[in-house]
Amino acid sequence: GENVEQHPSTLSVQEGDSAVIKCTYSDSASNYFPWYKQELGKRPQLIIDIRSNVGEKKDQRIAVTLNKTAKHFSLHITETQPEDSAVYFCAASMLTGKLIFGQGTTLQVKP
Amino acid sequence: DAGVIQSPRHEVTEMGQEVTLRCKPISGHNSLFWYRQTMMRGLELLIYFNNNVPIDDSGMPEDRFSAKMPNASFSTLKIQPSEPRDSAVYFCASSQGQGYGYTFGSGTRLTVV
């Protein structure tokens, strides 16, 4: 069935280091892959997305890569800052428009 | 744009009472989703609508849950009767359709005592 696996579930890094979160998806027809950031007590917010015709996309300190053959995609955050601390969710889009979310990664950036 | 608007922000109710959560999607978005979030189960999709029509309600926990979308600008999620295990944050989200991300509302924090 439809499934998105996300790893790690928790990640702790020192301020200034890089953080990488990885996801795999099961439906080869998926063609849209957004990433959401959810701060404590707030709503998930879209931070970056990538479509299946692109292998990599970058926006300042965050980047996403996609390997369609392997059905993997990853979020990379460079020069992490304490305000990057949050829960991050990956997702894959079904043809119906429904997003299947990963289980979430709690990122802690230590000052 | 005011974004996706949910009400109420917080709801505390007694077990057995009816609860109605409300959502106004972004104008022009033709897909609407109801999610439930708990620490144990993460983000669970309950039901979603395309063009006001329910497409998939397989995530609705049981017959106590029902959702409607009478028009493009309003949806409700009803729980009757409510139980303590329904306590969670309920998010509504809308999107322009396949290939677009969701915009989430601020959520309704439901506590059933």
Side-chain angles (χ1 to χ4, degrees):
Chain A
E2 306 159 345
N3 191 42
V4 174
E5 294 287 335
Q6 182 172 347
H7 300 279
S9 57
T10 60
L11 180 59
S12 182
V13 299
Q14 212 61 39
E15 183 178 358
D17 287 349
S18 295
V20 180
I21 303 170
K22 299 182 179 182
C23 291
T24 60
Y25 60 98
S26 58
D27 188 348
S28 56
S30 295
N31 60 3
Y32 173 70
F33 307 90
W35 286 86
Y36 288 83
K37 175 183 180 182
Q38 186 177 25
E39 296 176 350
L40 190 62
K42 297 191 175 179
R43 76 188 82 185
Q45 291 196 294
L46 179 67
I47 55 171
I48 194 169
D49 55 15
I50 191 167
R51 299 181 190 281
S52 59
N53 58 346
V54 175
E56 184 173 357
K57 183 176 179 181
K58 191 173 181 180
D59 182 4
Q60 298 183 344
R61 295 186 299 106
I62 59 173
V64 58
T65 58
L66 172 65
N67 182 331
K68 282 218 73 176
T69 303
K71 292 192 276 188
H72 289 173
F73 58 115
S74 301
L75 178 72
H76 304 252
I77 306 174
T78 58
E79 301 172 27
T80 53
Q81 302 169 2
E83 51 265 39
D84 295 329
S85 297
V87 179
Y88 291 81
F89 293 95
C90 63
S93 177
M94 303 293 111
L95 290 177
T96 56
K98 173 173 127 177
L99 289 178
I100 304 297
F101 284 88
Q103 298 87 343
T105 296
T106 301
L107 173 65
Q108 181 187 27
V109 180
K110 299 177 185 174
Chain B
D1 194 332
V4 176
I5 300 172
Q6 287 187 249
S7 65
R9 290 295 305 273
H10 302 276
E11 177 81 30
V12 180
T13 191
E14 291 186 347
M15 182 173 65
Q17 296 298 305
E18 176 179 296
V19 176
T20 300
L21 312 182
R22 296 173 175 79
C23 177
K24 177 178 166 47
I26 291 173
S27 178
H29 282 194
N30 58 11
S31 296
L32 183 140
F33 307 82
W34 282 101
Y35 279 85
R36 177 170 69 177
Q37 187 174 39
T38 61
M39 289 293 292
M40 291 298 295
R41 301 174 70 92
L43 271 170
E44 299 176 273
L45 177 64
L46 300 177
I47 185 171
Y48 74 100
F49 298 82
N50 279 347
N51 297 313
N52 313 338
V53 176
I55 301 300
D56 183 352
D57 65 355
S58 59
M60 296 285 261
E62 48 199 273
D63 291 346
R64 298 185 297 107
F65 285 68
S66 62
K68 294 182 179 179
M69 191 165 187
N71 57 61
S73 59
F74 185 65
S75 177
T76 60
L77 177 68
K78 186 177 292 187
I79 308 172
Q80 165 65 14
S82 57
E83 296 182 3
R85 61 193 168 117
D86 301 331
S87 297
V89 179
Y90 290 80
F91 285 106
C92 174
S94 69
S95 84
Q96 296 178 61
Q98 202 277 333
Y100 292 91
Y102 296 176
T103 300
F104 283 84
S106 298
T108 294
R109 182 173 295 278
L110 173 65
T111 303
V112 183
V113 298

